Amino acid sequence: GRWRRAIEVPGTAALNKGKNAAPLSVSGASAGSCAAGGFYTDGSRHEQAFVETEVNGRWRRAIEVPGTAALNKGGANFTSVSCTGVGSCAGGGYYTDGSRHEQAFVVNEANGRWRRVIEVPGTAALNKGGNANTTSVSCAAALSCAAVGEYLDGSHRGQAFVVNKR
């Protein structure tokens, strides 16, 4: 195949009031079926996580990752996505909570609809230093994924976590 002409990520111009946006990860399950995610800067100059999906070769409008608005008090980022089939993806990143601590999240897409983010199970107990992030997600099948990331322990040392979805 041949690379097509680059286009603006649909919908990011309307979201990106702070004039800084970037996609950080993309994954394709089959020809014309992909997902991408990253961040945009809102009018308050906070980074917000976005995700977009390609269906039948057409990119849909980027949306704020569902659930991040309720959790995010100072910045969010969508850092990794992995897709296994049409409308079946998982991803992750981080959001900044009300205490200005970064918390790792994961999110799923099922039947073409992005679900609400959740904090990565178990990271609240690990992330005593207040800086956690999901850095990579990989899925072998719709219900079989793994994610890795980083957090700061109570001594402010960088540590690694791994989590599975089955």
Side-chain angles (χ1 to χ4, degrees):
R2 293 178 50 163
W3 288 97
R4 294 182 177 183
R5 179 182 296 268
I7 62 168
E8 181 177 299
V9 174
T12 55
L15 296 172
N16 188 27
K17 305 292 186 212
K19 301 178 184 171
N20 188 25
L24 301 174
S25 183
V26 65
S27 177
S30 60
S33 176
C34 299
F39 74 92
Y40 65 91
T41 307
D42 66 18
S44 299
R45 298 187 173 258
H46 292 128
E47 289 181 355
Q48 305 294 337
F50 80 82
V51 67
E52 67 170 332
T53 307
E54 181 190 30
V55 178
N56 296 324
R58 297 199 63 194
W59 287 100
R60 292 184 175 170
R61 181 173 294 279
I63 60 168
E64 183 174 9
V65 176
T68 55
L71 299 172
N72 180 26
K73 305 302 181 206
N77 218 308
F78 190 92
T79 55
S80 182
V81 64
S82 179
C83 299
T84 60
V86 176
S88 179
C89 302
Y94 71 88
Y95 64 90
T96 305
D97 65 19
S99 299
R100 297 185 182 209
H101 294 146
E102 291 179 358
Q103 306 296 340
F105 74 75
V106 286
V107 63
N108 298 313
E109 180 194 31
N111 299 319
R113 187 171 152 252
W114 286 95
R115 308 300 188 209
R116 296 181 68 76
V117 300
I118 61 166
E119 184 175 355
V120 175
T123 56
L126 298 172
N127 187 27
K128 300 297 185 200
N131 189 359
N133 180 17
T134 303
T135 56
S136 185
V137 176
S138 181
C139 300
L143 298 176
S144 180
C145 298
V148 296
E150 59 189 345
Y151 66 93
L152 289 181
D153 65 17
S155 299
H156 291 284
R157 291 187 180 114
Q159 304 290 349
F161 73 79
V162 63
V163 62
N164 295 327
K165 174 187 168 196
R166 290 193 184 118

